[in-house]
Amino acid sequence: MDKILDTRKVDKFDKLLDEVSSIVLTCHVRPDGDAIGSTLGWMHLLERLGKSVVVVVPDNAPKSLSFLPGFDRMAVFTRHEEYCEKLFKEAELVICCDFNQPSRLDRMQRLLDECLCPKVLIDHHVEPSPFADILFSFPDMSSTCELSFRIMAELGLYSEINLEAATCILTGMITDTKNFTVNCKSPDIYEILQRLLEKGCDKNRIVRLALMEKSYGAMMLEAYALSRKLEIFPEYHGSIICLDKEECERFHYEKGDTEGIVNRPTEIRGVTFSFFLREDSDCVKVSARSVMDFPVNAMCKDIFGGGGHVMAAGAEFYGSLSDCRKMLIESFPKYAHYLKGRTEKLDYFEVKDSNNND
Ligand code: MN
């Protein structure tokens, strides 16, 4: 495995771990498999070292992750604010996983800001803000879970990774790489996969539960979005899907239900980028995906003040869904130059209605 970690930082972290006994682990709002997998993974490992550890999340994690060992033990800020505040106050160390800015904790940010104990950041998002005492930031890494495994190994703790910790870490790697189909060029990832399988992880079960299974409503909402709401902009090799609140409610929308929709148009031959706009209670959630390094993070940043990875980015728009869509479409020409030199043909035609009037 390539040695990428700064030994001095790892030593500093090692020393810090030796000195403390009560540790809070936290992650970003609307946590995903990588956020929950990394925090719970560290929890299981640190408990093996005799630490008193608790995972505090800004809001509920998706049901699809409830199979993870330790899931029911997480403290959820939106449900138990005072309790979470107490946990942060009493912590001797806070380990922040899978986010680059304190604002990613949403309303829970205050607890981190007010917390005086040392902080360690373990993350793979670009441009981390320097709020932590020790910063493990690797934007090229497939997932925070992959990075966590590397740090654990470098700390000499590989033998302490039990099946519970391994299951959590593998889950984050699987969800962030879509079962090793994106962001996984590095051969190291497969060595880590091997090490985790050696711990007894059931990879097929993780893929099924964390990545594939969904509710009937979520499946039908996606089908509706693709068949009725997909707009293709042939000139720009781009696509937009908009869903308003009423449409989501019709399909009994639950948090996380629309997660995969933004990816689907990029599966069409020649579609270079895809935007998904969903009307939420107080804003429009914008998510964007692309293929072949088309910079949707630049689009999200310039147009909506958002950000993210080159091929996976997002933003929030405080205005109407139709204004959001309009702003986006009007800005397409500005990014057309990124398409220069691309030769892929777009596979697109208008589907005729059958007009069956029997
Ligand atoms: Mn992640």
Side-chain angles (χ1 to χ4, degrees):
M1 218 190 302
D2 280 341
K3 218 172 139 47
I4 49 137
L5 297 165
D6 178 344
T7 318
R8 280 165 308 171
K9 269 193 204 172
V10 176
D11 289 346
K12 202 172 152 196
F13 187 29
D14 197 11
K15 204 165 150 272
L16 196 52
L17 286 174
D18 270 348
E19 286 165 2
V20 303
S21 61
S22 77
I23 301 172
V24 160
L25 285 147
T26 191
C27 62
H28 59 79
V29 70
R30 291 181 296 280
D32 57 6
D34 193 30
I36 299 298
S38 54
T39 47
L40 286 179
W42 277 106
M43 179 186 86
H44 291 297
L45 180 87
L46 295 169
E47 283 183 341
R48 300 264 296 171
L49 305 182
K51 308 292 177 191
S52 135
V53 193
V54 56
V55 171
V56 184
V57 290
D59 60 350
N60 282 322
K63 262 193 286 192
S64 61
L65 298 171
S66 61
F67 72 96
L68 286 175
F71 184 89
D72 294 330
R73 289 171 49 200
M74 295 190 298
V76 182
F77 178 71
T78 48
R79 281 194 279 166
H80 302 105
E81 291 200 13
E82 275 171 40
Y83 175 58
C84 293
E85 183 155 3
K86 183 170 163 280
L87 292 170
F88 266 87
K89 279 209 176 105
E90 290 170 0
E92 294 169 89
L93 170 66
V94 175
I95 303 179
C96 303
C97 294
D98 203 34
F99 64 93
N100 53 355
Q101 310 275 348
S103 61
R104 294 284 289 129
L105 296 187
D106 205 37
R107 281 204 311 113
M108 201 174 79
Q109 178 183 350
R110 182 177 59 83
L111 304 195
L112 185 70
D113 289 346
E114 289 171 1
C115 179
L116 299 170
C117 73
K119 291 156 199 155
V120 176
L121 177 70
I122 302 175
D123 178 48
H124 69 135
H125 295 87
V126 287
E127 294 166 19
S129 80
F131 68 92
D133 302 85
I134 306 177
L135 199 78
F136 295 104
S137 167
F138 291 87
D140 289 336
M141 199 72 60
S142 73
S143 54
T144 297
C145 279
E146 179 195 344
L147 178 56
S148 294
F149 179 91
R150 289 172 182 269
I151 298 170
M152 290 170 185
E154 196 64 35
L155 286 166
L157 295 173
Y158 173 73
S159 61
E160 295 298 332
I161 299 176
N162 56 11
L163 176 59
E164 284 77 19
T167 298
C168 295
I169 293 164
L170 184 54
T171 297
M173 289 179 67
I174 285 172
T175 52
D176 263 25
T177 64
K178 309 234 175 312
N179 195 19
F180 304 97
T181 56
V182 295
N183 282 332
C184 51
K185 283 185 202 154
S186 145
D188 284 356
I189 293 179
Y190 303 96
E191 191 182 332
I192 296 172
L193 170 61
Q194 184 187 344
R195 297 278 166 264
L196 293 170
L197 293 176
E198 281 164 4
K199 297 282 181 184
C201 289
D202 187 342
K203 178 170 175 281
N204 293 355
R205 177 169 177 263
I206 295 173
V207 172
R208 168 96 198 144
L209 294 177
L211 215 51
M212 290 168 64
E213 269 189 5
K214 52 177 74 176
S215 67
Y216 175 76
M219 179 69 88
M220 290 305 112
L221 181 56
E222 180 172 315
Y224 168 77
L226 290 173
S227 68
R228 307 284 296 277
K229 304 303 302 275
L230 174 63
E231 299 177 88
I232 301 267
F233 299 82
E235 204 183 330
Y236 302 107
H237 289 229
S239 72
I240 301 180
I241 292 173
C242 295
L243 289 179
D244 65 26
K245 265 213 296 234
E246 184 278 320
E247 290 170 312
C248 290
E249 275 157 23
R250 236 191 285 160
F251 293 93
H252 302 188
Y253 172 81
E254 273 183 53
K255 214 174 63 160
D257 277 359
T258 53
E259 202 114 292
I261 291 179
V262 66
N263 295 300
R264 299 304 304 276
T266 66
E267 294 167 20
I268 300 167
R269 253 179 242 121
V271 168
T272 304
F273 66 88
S274 150
F275 272 81
F276 172 56
L277 316 179
R278 181 176 58 80
E279 185 183 31
D280 210 353
S281 47
D282 59 338
C283 67
V284 177
K285 294 269 191 261
V286 177
S287 33
R289 295 291 182 276
S290 71
V291 295
M292 291 180 293
D293 292 318
F294 189 92
V296 281
N297 57 348
M299 294 179 81
C300 285
K301 188 169 179 232
D302 301 347
I303 308 166
F304 303 115
H309 301 281
V310 175
M311 294 188 282
E316 283 172 356
F317 176 77
Y318 292 85
S320 73
L321 185 60
S322 62
D323 283 349
C324 184
R325 176 181 167 277
K326 206 169 142 232
M327 262 173 80
L328 181 59
I329 296 170
E330 281 170 3
S331 73
F332 280 172
K334 266 196 262 170
Y335 301 89
H337 68 275
Y338 286 112
L339 290 169
K340 277 213 182 94
R342 291 174 192 260
T343 52
E344 313 87 71
K345 270 192 71 176
L346 177 71
D347 188 3
Y348 176 65
F349 55 88
E350 244 166 83
V351 181
K352 290 201 181 72
D353 275 336
S354 65
N355 267 342
N356 198 337
N357 297 324
D358 296 344

